[in-house]
Amino acid sequence: MYKISYNFSNLFKISIHYIYDSQKNESFKRGNLMDKIYADKMIEKYQSMFYGFALSKTYTINEAEELASRIVLEAYVTLLKVDDINNWNGYLYRTASSVYARYVKEN
C-alpha cells in the first residue's frame, strides 16, 4: 500500500508514505508496487527542481504552487508508464516544460 499527500504550502512539501509488504519483493515490473515506490522516490528527489522551475516561470507563489502541482502529477503518471530512461534530469525537465506550455495556453 502507499499513500501520497501533496501539500503545496509556502515550502512546497510533498509527503510520500508507503507500507511495503516484504513478501512482494519482486523486480521492477510495470504495474508492480515497486514501480509506484520508485516513482514516489523520483518525485521526492526532484520536487525542488519542479518548484524552482515553476517559480522561475510564474514569479508568484500561488501560480508556482499550481504549476508545480500539475508538473508533479504529470511526472508521476509518466514515471509509472515508462520502462527505461537514460537521462532523468532531461526527461523530467522536458515534462515540466510541456506542462508549462499547456499552462500558458490555458491562462
Side-chain angles (χ1 to χ4, degrees):
M1 270 189 256
Y2 65 97
K3 176 185 172 188
I4 302 172
S5 60
Y6 298 99
N7 178 13
F8 293 102
S9 64
N10 290 339
L11 298 177
F12 183 72
K13 294 181 182 177
I14 298 178
S15 302
I16 301 173
H17 306 283
Y18 58 89
I19 301 169
Y20 178 66
D21 184 358
S22 61
Q23 294 180 2
K24 293 189 177 194
N25 189 13
E26 299 171 337
S27 63
F28 289 92
K29 295 180 182 176
R30 188 177 285 185
N32 187 336
L33 177 64
M34 292 297 289
D35 282 335
K36 292 174 179 69
I37 293 170
Y38 186 69
D40 292 347
K41 288 180 182 179
M42 291 301 289
I43 293 296
E44 187 174 21
K45 179 179 177 181
Y46 287 95
Q47 69 183 353
S48 61
M49 182 191 91
F50 295 145
Y51 185 68
F53 176 87
L55 193 57
S56 72
K57 298 294 184 184
T58 60
Y59 301 109
T60 65
I61 292 174
N62 290 339
E63 288 183 4
E65 290 174 354
E66 173 64 29
L67 179 57
S69 67
R70 292 180 186 196
I71 293 170
V72 166
L73 178 62
E74 182 76 21
Y76 187 75
V77 169
T78 302
L79 288 171
L80 292 176
K81 292 180 182 179
V82 297
D83 288 328
D84 187 32
I85 296 174
N86 294 327
N87 181 0
W88 286 106
N89 288 333
Y91 188 80
L92 292 174
Y93 182 81
R94 185 66 189 137
T95 300
S97 297
S98 298
V99 172
Y100 174 65
R102 285 194 304 267
Y103 181 77
V104 168
K105 283 183 183 179
E106 291 175 6
N107 294 325

PDB file of all heavy atoms in Angstrom, residues 30-61:
ATOM      1  N   ARG A  30       6.284  -3.342 -14.683  1.00  0.00           N
ATOM      2  CA  ARG A  30       5.176  -2.411 -14.851  1.00  0.00           C
ATOM      3  C   ARG A  30       3.953  -2.930 -14.097  1.00  0.00           C
ATOM      4  O   ARG A  30       3.618  -4.091 -14.158  1.00  0.00           O
ATOM      5  CB  ARG A  30       4.867  -2.262 -16.333  1.00  0.00           C
ATOM      6  CG  ARG A  30       3.866  -1.174 -16.607  1.00  0.00           C
ATOM      7  CD  ARG A  30       3.649  -1.031 -18.059  1.00  0.00           C
ATOM      8  NE  ARG A  30       4.815  -0.355 -18.609  1.00  0.00           N
ATOM      9  CZ  ARG A  30       4.917   0.010 -19.860  1.00  0.00           C
ATOM     10  NH1 ARG A  30       3.970  -0.261 -20.699  1.00  0.00           N
ATOM     11  NH2 ARG A  30       5.980   0.634 -20.294  1.00  0.00           N
ATOM     12  N   GLY A  31       3.282  -2.034 -13.367  1.00  0.00           N
ATOM     13  CA  GLY A  31       2.099  -2.404 -12.614  1.00  0.00           C
ATOM     14  C   GLY A  31       2.414  -2.971 -11.239  1.00  0.00           C
ATOM     15  O   GLY A  31       1.528  -3.276 -10.474  1.00  0.00           O
ATOM     16  N   ASN A  32       3.661  -3.105 -10.925  1.00  0.00           N
ATOM     17  CA  ASN A  32       4.102  -3.660  -9.667  1.00  0.00           C
ATOM     18  C   ASN A  32       4.157  -2.553  -8.616  1.00  0.00           C
ATOM     19  O   ASN A  32       4.330  -1.390  -8.925  1.00  0.00           O
ATOM     20  CB  ASN A  32       5.496  -4.255  -9.883  1.00  0.00           C
ATOM     21  CG  ASN A  32       6.000  -5.020  -8.690  1.00  0.00           C
ATOM     22  OD1 ASN A  32       5.580  -4.782  -7.572  1.00  0.00           O
ATOM     23  ND2 ASN A  32       6.902  -5.930  -8.927  1.00  0.00           N
ATOM     24  N   LEU A  33       4.048  -2.923  -7.364  1.00  0.00           N
ATOM     25  CA  LEU A  33       4.172  -1.960  -6.276  1.00  0.00           C
ATOM     26  C   LEU A  33       5.515  -1.254  -6.325  1.00  0.00           C
ATOM     27  O   LEU A  33       5.617  -0.076  -6.028  1.00  0.00           O
ATOM     28  CB  LEU A  33       4.005  -2.671  -4.924  1.00  0.00           C
ATOM     29  CG  LEU A  33       4.176  -1.816  -3.682  1.00  0.00           C
ATOM     30  CD1 LEU A  33       3.082  -0.752  -3.628  1.00  0.00           C
ATOM     31  CD2 LEU A  33       4.125  -2.674  -2.446  1.00  0.00           C
ATOM     32  N   MET A  34       6.557  -1.934  -6.746  1.00  0.00           N
ATOM     33  CA  MET A  34       7.884  -1.347  -6.816  1.00  0.00           C
ATOM     34  C   MET A  34       7.914  -0.161  -7.771  1.00  0.00           C
ATOM     35  O   MET A  34       8.627   0.793  -7.548  1.00  0.00           O
ATOM     36  CB  MET A  34       8.918  -2.390  -7.244  1.00  0.00           C
ATOM     37  CG  MET A  34       9.154  -3.456  -6.199  1.00  0.00           C
ATOM     38  SD  MET A  34       9.832  -2.787  -4.666  1.00  0.00           S
ATOM     39  CE  MET A  34      11.464  -2.369  -5.210  1.00  0.00           C
ATOM     40  N   ASP A  35       7.156  -0.193  -8.845  1.00  0.00           N
ATOM     41  CA  ASP A  35       7.095   0.941  -9.760  1.00  0.00           C
ATOM     42  C   ASP A  35       6.577   2.176  -9.038  1.00  0.00           C
ATOM     43  O   ASP A  35       7.079   3.270  -9.234  1.00  0.00           O
ATOM     44  CB  ASP A  35       6.180   0.644 -10.952  1.00  0.00           C
ATOM     45  CG  ASP A  35       6.854  -0.235 -11.988  1.00  0.00           C
ATOM     46  OD1 ASP A  35       8.095  -0.226 -12.046  1.00  0.00           O
ATOM     47  OD2 ASP A  35       6.128  -0.913 -12.725  1.00  0.00           O
ATOM     48  N   LYS A  36       5.577   1.997  -8.237  1.00  0.00           N
ATOM     49  CA  LYS A  36       4.984   3.117  -7.509  1.00  0.00           C
ATOM     50  C   LYS A  36       5.961   3.671  -6.474  1.00  0.00           C
ATOM     51  O   LYS A  36       6.092   4.882  -6.320  1.00  0.00           O
ATOM     52  CB  LYS A  36       3.676   2.685  -6.873  1.00  0.00           C
ATOM     53  CG  LYS A  36       2.594   2.398  -7.904  1.00  0.00           C
ATOM     54  CD  LYS A  36       1.357   1.845  -7.251  1.00  0.00           C
ATOM     55  CE  LYS A  36       0.263   1.575  -8.233  1.00  0.00           C
ATOM     56  NZ  LYS A  36       0.511   0.477  -9.139  1.00  0.00           N
ATOM     57  N   ILE A  37       6.646   2.798  -5.784  1.00  0.00           N
ATOM     58  CA  ILE A  37       7.629   3.235  -4.792  1.00  0.00           C
ATOM     59  C   ILE A  37       8.764   3.982  -5.480  1.00  0.00           C
ATOM     60  O   ILE A  37       9.205   5.034  -5.012  1.00  0.00           O
ATOM     61  CB  ILE A  37       8.158   2.036  -3.982  1.00  0.00           C
ATOM     62  CG1 ILE A  37       7.043   1.456  -3.119  1.00  0.00           C
ATOM     63  CG2 ILE A  37       9.347   2.442  -3.123  1.00  0.00           C
ATOM     64  CD1 ILE A  37       7.383   0.146  -2.463  1.00  0.00           C
ATOM     65  N   TYR A  38       9.227   3.456  -6.611  1.00  0.00           N
ATOM     66  CA  TYR A  38      10.301   4.109  -7.353  1.00  0.00           C
ATOM     67  C   TYR A  38       9.852   5.476  -7.860  1.00  0.00           C
ATOM     68  O   TYR A  38      10.584   6.457  -7.763  1.00  0.00           O
ATOM     69  CB  TYR A  38      10.742   3.218  -8.518  1.00  0.00           C
ATOM     70  CG  TYR A  38      11.928   3.749  -9.248  1.00  0.00           C
ATOM     71  CD1 TYR A  38      13.177   3.768  -8.647  1.00  0.00           C
ATOM     72  CD2 TYR A  38      11.808   4.247 -10.537  1.00  0.00           C
ATOM     73  CE1 TYR A  38      14.286   4.260  -9.307  1.00  0.00           C
ATOM     74  CE2 TYR A  38      12.908   4.736 -11.211  1.00  0.00           C
ATOM     75  CZ  TYR A  38      14.145   4.737 -10.593  1.00  0.00           C
ATOM     76  OH  TYR A  38      15.221   5.236 -11.248  1.00  0.00           O
ATOM     77  N   ALA A  39       8.637   5.570  -8.380  1.00  0.00           N
ATOM     78  CA  ALA A  39       8.101   6.852  -8.848  1.00  0.00           C
ATOM     79  C   ALA A  39       7.987   7.836  -7.687  1.00  0.00           C
ATOM     80  O   ALA A  39       8.310   9.017  -7.836  1.00  0.00           O
ATOM     81  CB  ALA A  39       6.749   6.650  -9.520  1.00  0.00           C
ATOM     82  N   ASP A  40       7.557   7.364  -6.530  1.00  0.00           N
ATOM     83  CA  ASP A  40       7.472   8.222  -5.346  1.00  0.00           C
ATOM     84  C   ASP A  40       8.834   8.799  -4.989  1.00  0.00           C
ATOM     85  O   ASP A  40       8.969   9.985  -4.693  1.00  0.00           O
ATOM     86  CB  ASP A  40       6.936   7.435  -4.139  1.00  0.00           C
ATOM     87  CG  ASP A  40       5.486   7.019  -4.285  1.00  0.00           C
ATOM     88  OD1 ASP A  40       4.813   7.532  -5.200  1.00  0.00           O
ATOM     89  OD2 ASP A  40       5.046   6.182  -3.481  1.00  0.00           O
ATOM     90  N   LYS A  41       9.851   7.941  -5.024  1.00  0.00           N
ATOM     91  CA  LYS A  41      11.200   8.390  -4.692  1.00  0.00           C
ATOM     92  C   LYS A  41      11.720   9.399  -5.707  1.00  0.00           C
ATOM     93  O   LYS A  41      12.404  10.358  -5.338  1.00  0.00           O
ATOM     94  CB  LYS A  41      12.146   7.195  -4.598  1.00  0.00           C
ATOM     95  CG  LYS A  41      11.916   6.354  -3.369  1.00  0.00           C
ATOM     96  CD  LYS A  41      12.859   5.187  -3.303  1.00  0.00           C
ATOM     97  CE  LYS A  41      12.571   4.342  -2.081  1.00  0.00           C
ATOM     98  NZ  LYS A  41      13.463   3.178  -1.998  1.00  0.00           N
ATOM     99  N   MET A  42      11.417   9.194  -6.976  1.00  0.00           N
ATOM    100  CA  MET A  42      11.872  10.121  -8.010  1.00  0.00           C
ATOM    101  C   MET A  42      11.181  11.483  -7.848  1.00  0.00           C
ATOM    102  O   MET A  42      11.818  12.520  -7.974  1.00  0.00           O
ATOM    103  CB  MET A  42      11.610   9.559  -9.403  1.00  0.00           C
ATOM    104  CG  MET A  42      12.466   8.361  -9.744  1.00  0.00           C
ATOM    105  SD  MET A  42      14.232   8.683  -9.674  1.00  0.00           S
ATOM    106  CE  MET A  42      14.424   9.705 -11.109  1.00  0.00           C
ATOM    107  N   ILE A  43       9.886  11.477  -7.559  1.00  0.00           N
ATOM    108  CA  ILE A  43       9.165  12.736  -7.340  1.00  0.00           C
ATOM    109  C   ILE A  43       9.740  13.462  -6.128  1.00  0.00           C
ATOM    110  O   ILE A  43       9.966  14.670  -6.160  1.00  0.00           O
ATOM    111  CB  ILE A  43       7.654  12.484  -7.162  1.00  0.00           C
ATOM    112  CG1 ILE A  43       7.044  11.965  -8.460  1.00  0.00           C
ATOM    113  CG2 ILE A  43       6.940  13.735  -6.678  1.00  0.00           C
ATOM    114  CD1 ILE A  43       7.083  12.927  -9.622  1.00  0.00           C
ATOM    115  N   GLU A  44      10.007  12.713  -5.072  1.00  0.00           N
ATOM    116  CA  GLU A  44      10.580  13.321  -3.872  1.00  0.00           C
ATOM    117  C   GLU A  44      11.959  13.917  -4.170  1.00  0.00           C
ATOM    118  O   GLU A  44      12.284  15.013  -3.713  1.00  0.00           O
ATOM    119  CB  GLU A  44      10.677  12.276  -2.770  1.00  0.00           C
ATOM    120  CG  GLU A  44      11.089  12.829  -1.442  1.00  0.00           C
ATOM    121  CD  GLU A  44      11.033  11.771  -0.347  1.00  0.00           C
ATOM    122  OE1 GLU A  44      11.059  10.565  -0.660  1.00  0.00           O
ATOM    123  OE2 GLU A  44      10.982  12.166   0.818  1.00  0.00           O
ATOM    124  N   LYS A  45      12.735  13.224  -4.960  1.00  0.00           N
ATOM    125  CA  LYS A  45      14.080  13.691  -5.304  1.00  0.00           C
ATOM    126  C   LYS A  45      14.048  14.971  -6.135  1.00  0.00           C
ATOM    127  O   LYS A  45      14.864  15.865  -5.950  1.00  0.00           O
ATOM    128  CB  LYS A  45      14.817  12.594  -6.080  1.00  0.00           C
ATOM    129  CG  LYS A  45      16.204  12.972  -6.513  1.00  0.00           C
ATOM    130  CD  LYS A  45      16.871  11.836  -7.254  1.00  0.00           C
ATOM    131  CE  LYS A  45      18.235  12.263  -7.747  1.00  0.00           C
ATOM    132  NZ  LYS A  45      18.897  11.188  -8.495  1.00  0.00           N
ATOM    133  N   TYR A  46      13.094  15.080  -7.054  1.00  0.00           N
ATOM    134  CA  TYR A  46      13.050  16.202  -7.983  1.00  0.00           C
ATOM    135  C   TYR A  46      12.040  17.286  -7.612  1.00  0.00           C
ATOM    136  O   TYR A  46      11.812  18.205  -8.383  1.00  0.00           O
ATOM    137  CB  TYR A  46      12.760  15.698  -9.407  1.00  0.00           C
ATOM    138  CG  TYR A  46      13.938  14.998 -10.010  1.00  0.00           C
ATOM    139  CD1 TYR A  46      14.058  13.620  -9.951  1.00  0.00           C
ATOM    140  CD2 TYR A  46      14.955  15.716 -10.624  1.00  0.00           C
ATOM    141  CE1 TYR A  46      15.146  12.977 -10.498  1.00  0.00           C
ATOM    142  CE2 TYR A  46      16.046  15.087 -11.173  1.00  0.00           C
ATOM    143  CZ  TYR A  46      16.137  13.712 -11.107  1.00  0.00           C
ATOM    144  OH  TYR A  46      17.226  13.087 -11.643  1.00  0.00           O
ATOM    145  N   GLN A  47      11.434  17.219  -6.437  1.00  0.00           N
ATOM    146  CA  GLN A  47      10.404  18.186  -6.063  1.00  0.00           C
ATOM    147  C   GLN A  47      10.926  19.614  -6.046  1.00  0.00           C
ATOM    148  O   GLN A  47      10.235  20.542  -6.473  1.00  0.00           O
ATOM    149  CB  GLN A  47       9.774  17.820  -4.735  1.00  0.00           C
ATOM    150  CG  GLN A  47      10.676  17.983  -3.537  1.00  0.00           C
ATOM    151  CD  GLN A  47      10.007  17.540  -2.254  1.00  0.00           C
ATOM    152  OE1 GLN A  47       8.829  17.232  -2.239  1.00  0.00           O
ATOM    153  NE2 GLN A  47      10.763  17.511  -1.185  1.00  0.00           N
ATOM    154  N   SER A  48      12.135  19.823  -5.575  1.00  0.00           N
ATOM    155  CA  SER A  48      12.669  21.191  -5.536  1.00  0.00           C
ATOM    156  C   SER A  48      12.928  21.715  -6.941  1.00  0.00           C
ATOM    157  O   SER A  48      12.750  22.907  -7.207  1.00  0.00           O
ATOM    158  CB  SER A  48      13.931  21.261  -4.688  1.00  0.00           C
ATOM    159  OG  SER A  48      14.936  20.440  -5.227  1.00  0.00           O
ATOM    160  N   MET A  49      13.323  20.831  -7.867  1.00  0.00           N
ATOM    161  CA  MET A  49      13.508  21.244  -9.256  1.00  0.00           C
ATOM    162  C   MET A  49      12.171  21.680  -9.858  1.00  0.00           C
ATOM    163  O   MET A  49      12.097  22.696 -10.546  1.00  0.00           O
ATOM    164  CB  MET A  49      14.099  20.123 -10.099  1.00  0.00           C
ATOM    165  CG  MET A  49      14.354  20.534 -11.551  1.00  0.00           C
ATOM    166  SD  MET A  49      14.760  19.153 -12.636  1.00  0.00           S
ATOM    167  CE  MET A  49      13.129  18.701 -13.218  1.00  0.00           C
ATOM    168  N   PHE A  50      11.114  20.916  -9.580  1.00  0.00           N
ATOM    169  CA  PHE A  50       9.797  21.261 -10.123  1.00  0.00           C
ATOM    170  C   PHE A  50       9.329  22.617  -9.601  1.00  0.00           C
ATOM    171  O   PHE A  50       8.835  23.446 -10.363  1.00  0.00           O
ATOM    172  CB  PHE A  50       8.758  20.195  -9.762  1.00  0.00           C
ATOM    173  CG  PHE A  50       9.009  18.851 -10.374  1.00  0.00           C
ATOM    174  CD1 PHE A  50       8.703  17.702  -9.680  1.00  0.00           C
ATOM    175  CD2 PHE A  50       9.543  18.729 -11.643  1.00  0.00           C
ATOM    176  CE1 PHE A  50       8.910  16.456 -10.234  1.00  0.00           C
ATOM    177  CE2 PHE A  50       9.761  17.482 -12.212  1.00  0.00           C
ATOM    178  CZ  PHE A  50       9.442  16.342 -11.499  1.00  0.00           C
ATOM    179  N   TYR A  51       9.477  22.825  -8.302  1.00  0.00           N
ATOM    180  CA  TYR A  51       9.024  24.095  -7.732  1.00  0.00           C
ATOM    181  C   TYR A  51       9.892  25.251  -8.215  1.00  0.00           C
ATOM    182  O   TYR A  51       9.388  26.323  -8.531  1.00  0.00           O
ATOM    183  CB  TYR A  51       9.013  24.040  -6.205  1.00  0.00           C
ATOM    184  CG  TYR A  51       8.436  25.287  -5.602  1.00  0.00           C
ATOM    185  CD1 TYR A  51       7.093  25.596  -5.756  1.00  0.00           C
ATOM    186  CD2 TYR A  51       9.228  26.180  -4.900  1.00  0.00           C
ATOM    187  CE1 TYR A  51       6.554  26.753  -5.226  1.00  0.00           C
ATOM    188  CE2 TYR A  51       8.703  27.334  -4.359  1.00  0.00           C
ATOM    189  CZ  TYR A  51       7.368  27.615  -4.526  1.00  0.00           C
ATOM    190  OH  TYR A  51       6.844  28.764  -4.003  1.00  0.00           O
ATOM    191  N   GLY A  52      11.193  25.045  -8.280  1.00  0.00           N
ATOM    192  CA  GLY A  52      12.089  26.086  -8.787  1.00  0.00           C
ATOM    193  C   GLY A  52      11.779  26.447 -10.225  1.00  0.00           C
ATOM    194  O   GLY A  52      11.760  27.626 -10.605  1.00  0.00           O
ATOM    195  N   PHE A  53      11.515  25.443 -11.037  1.00  0.00           N
ATOM    196  CA  PHE A  53      11.133  25.670 -12.429  1.00  0.00           C
ATOM    197  C   PHE A  53       9.851  26.490 -12.489  1.00  0.00           C
ATOM    198  O   PHE A  53       9.761  27.480 -13.217  1.00  0.00           O
ATOM    199  CB  PHE A  53      10.941  24.326 -13.146  1.00  0.00           C
ATOM    200  CG  PHE A  53      10.447  24.446 -14.552  1.00  0.00           C
ATOM    201  CD1 PHE A  53      11.344  24.613 -15.592  1.00  0.00           C
ATOM    202  CD2 PHE A  53       9.091  24.391 -14.843  1.00  0.00           C
ATOM    203  CE1 PHE A  53      10.898  24.729 -16.902  1.00  0.00           C
ATOM    204  CE2 PHE A  53       8.635  24.502 -16.137  1.00  0.00           C
ATOM    205  CZ  PHE A  53       9.546  24.669 -17.173  1.00  0.00           C
ATOM    206  N   ALA A  54       8.848  26.084 -11.712  1.00  0.00           N
ATOM    207  CA  ALA A  54       7.561  26.773 -11.713  1.00  0.00           C
ATOM    208  C   ALA A  54       7.692  28.213 -11.218  1.00  0.00           C
ATOM    209  O   ALA A  54       7.106  29.130 -11.791  1.00  0.00           O
ATOM    210  CB  ALA A  54       6.556  26.008 -10.847  1.00  0.00           C
ATOM    211  N   LEU A  55       8.467  28.413 -10.185  1.00  0.00           N
ATOM    212  CA  LEU A  55       8.653  29.755  -9.637  1.00  0.00           C
ATOM    213  C   LEU A  55       9.389  30.656 -10.621  1.00  0.00           C
ATOM    214  O   LEU A  55       9.063  31.838 -10.758  1.00  0.00           O
ATOM    215  CB  LEU A  55       9.394  29.689  -8.308  1.00  0.00           C
ATOM    216  CG  LEU A  55       9.397  30.951  -7.454  1.00  0.00           C
ATOM    217  CD1 LEU A  55       7.979  31.405  -7.144  1.00  0.00           C
ATOM    218  CD2 LEU A  55      10.151  30.702  -6.159  1.00  0.00           C
ATOM    219  N   SER A  56      10.343  30.098 -11.343  1.00  0.00           N
ATOM    220  CA  SER A  56      11.082  30.904 -12.322  1.00  0.00           C
ATOM    221  C   SER A  56      10.215  31.300 -13.509  1.00  0.00           C
ATOM    222  O   SER A  56      10.469  32.306 -14.160  1.00  0.00           O
ATOM    223  CB  SER A  56      12.312  30.148 -12.814  1.00  0.00           C
ATOM    224  OG  SER A  56      11.951  29.081 -13.666  1.00  0.00           O
ATOM    225  N   LYS A  57       9.184  30.536 -13.775  1.00  0.00           N
ATOM    226  CA  LYS A  57       8.300  30.832 -14.907  1.00  0.00           C
ATOM    227  C   LYS A  57       7.140  31.747 -14.527  1.00  0.00           C
ATOM    228  O   LYS A  57       6.648  32.509 -15.350  1.00  0.00           O
ATOM    229  CB  LYS A  57       7.740  29.540 -15.507  1.00  0.00           C
ATOM    230  CG  LYS A  57       8.788  28.613 -16.056  1.00  0.00           C
ATOM    231  CD  LYS A  57       9.490  29.204 -17.238  1.00  0.00           C
ATOM    232  CE  LYS A  57      10.476  28.215 -17.822  1.00  0.00           C
ATOM    233  NZ  LYS A  57      11.253  28.762 -18.908  1.00  0.00           N
ATOM    234  N   THR A  58       6.665  31.657 -13.284  1.00  0.00           N
ATOM    235  CA  THR A  58       5.462  32.391 -12.906  1.00  0.00           C
ATOM    236  C   THR A  58       5.735  33.614 -12.042  1.00  0.00           C
ATOM    237  O   THR A  58       4.963  34.559 -12.071  1.00  0.00           O
ATOM    238  CB  THR A  58       4.493  31.475 -12.133  1.00  0.00           C
ATOM    239  OG1 THR A  58       5.141  30.998 -10.960  1.00  0.00           O
ATOM    240  CG2 THR A  58       4.038  30.315 -12.989  1.00  0.00           C
ATOM    241  N   TYR A  59       6.760  33.599 -11.233  1.00  0.00           N
ATOM    242  CA  TYR A  59       7.167  34.699 -10.353  1.00  0.00           C
ATOM    243  C   TYR A  59       6.208  34.977  -9.197  1.00  0.00           C
ATOM    244  O   TYR A  59       6.392  35.937  -8.475  1.00  0.00           O
ATOM    245  CB  TYR A  59       7.405  35.989 -11.145  1.00  0.00           C
ATOM    246  CG  TYR A  59       8.457  35.847 -12.200  1.00  0.00           C
ATOM    247  CD1 TYR A  59       8.117  35.833 -13.541  1.00  0.00           C
ATOM    248  CD2 TYR A  59       9.798  35.721 -11.859  1.00  0.00           C
ATOM    249  CE1 TYR A  59       9.090  35.694 -14.522  1.00  0.00           C
ATOM    250  CE2 TYR A  59      10.777  35.583 -12.832  1.00  0.00           C
ATOM    251  CZ  TYR A  59      10.407  35.569 -14.159  1.00  0.00           C
ATOM    252  OH  TYR A  59      11.373  35.429 -15.118  1.00  0.00           O
ATOM    253  N   THR A  60       5.162  34.196  -9.045  1.00  0.00           N
ATOM    254  CA  THR A  60       4.288  34.334  -7.875  1.00  0.00           C
ATOM    255  C   THR A  60       4.154  32.978  -7.201  1.00  0.00           C
ATOM    256  O   THR A  60       4.133  31.943  -7.869  1.00  0.00           O
ATOM    257  CB  THR A  60       2.882  34.857  -8.237  1.00  0.00           C
ATOM    258  OG1 THR A  60       2.226  33.894  -9.054  1.00  0.00           O
ATOM    259  CG2 THR A  60       2.951  36.192  -8.956  1.00  0.00           C
ATOM    260  N   ILE A  61       4.038  32.997  -5.895  1.00  0.00           N
ATOM    261  CA  ILE A  61       3.991  31.748  -5.141  1.00  0.00           C
ATOM    262  C   ILE A  61       2.738  30.944  -5.466  1.00  0.00           C
ATOM    263  O   ILE A  61       2.808  29.734  -5.677  1.00  0.00           O
ATOM    264  CB  ILE A  61       4.089  32.028  -3.628  1.00  0.00           C
ATOM    265  CG1 ILE A  61       5.488  32.557  -3.311  1.00  0.00           C
ATOM    266  CG2 ILE A  61       3.793  30.785  -2.815  1.00  0.00           C
ATOM    267  CD1 ILE A  61       5.682  32.999  -1.887  1.00  0.00           C
TER     268      ILE A  61
END
